[in-house]
Amino acid sequence: MTGISGVNINNFLNRGLENVDGMSSKLEAKMQELSANGGQMKQEDLLMLQYEMGQYQAFMTALNNTISSIQNQVKEMAQSIR
């Protein structure tokens, strides 16, 4: 599906989902690494993990809002066609 501006929505969504998958895998590996240290975590490690989780959450929120906006616009277009 390509929009009027030439933006390929399918590619956009695929890239977004690939980024989410990569960020999720990175976070999971980091958490496993931290828990494998025998329960001894440095405050810096926890702060970095918290930062990365915040970045993940911000990306997820932005992607969700973008997808919702696209869905709303498609619904409006479909209703205007009726």
Side-chain angles (χ1 to χ4, degrees):
M1 174 183 234
T2 302
I4 295 171
S5 65
V7 174
N8 188 317
I9 295 172
N10 190 40
N11 284 344
F12 170 78
L13 295 176
N14 284 336
R15 281 194 325 251
L17 293 174
E18 287 172 5
N19 285 341
V20 166
D21 188 40
M23 293 173 84
S24 175
S25 297
K26 184 179 174 183
L27 276 173
E28 185 178 349
K30 184 71 170 177
M31 286 189 261
Q32 287 178 352
E33 176 187 325
L34 290 174
S35 63
N37 289 337
Q40 298 176 357
M41 296 183 209
K42 297 178 187 174
Q43 185 174 3
E44 298 88 25
D45 292 334
L46 291 174
L47 289 172
M48 196 61 186
L49 181 62
Q50 184 179 9
Y51 172 78
E52 290 176 10
M53 289 177 78
Q55 293 294 309
Y56 176 78
Q57 182 65 37
F59 185 82
M60 288 292 294
T61 300
L63 185 60
N64 183 43
N65 290 341
T66 303
I67 290 171
S68 293
S69 178
I70 292 169
Q71 286 176 331
N72 289 337
Q73 289 181 357
V74 169
K75 286 178 187 177
E76 288 177 18
M77 287 174 31
Q79 288 177 355
S80 70
I81 293 172
R82 287 186 195 179

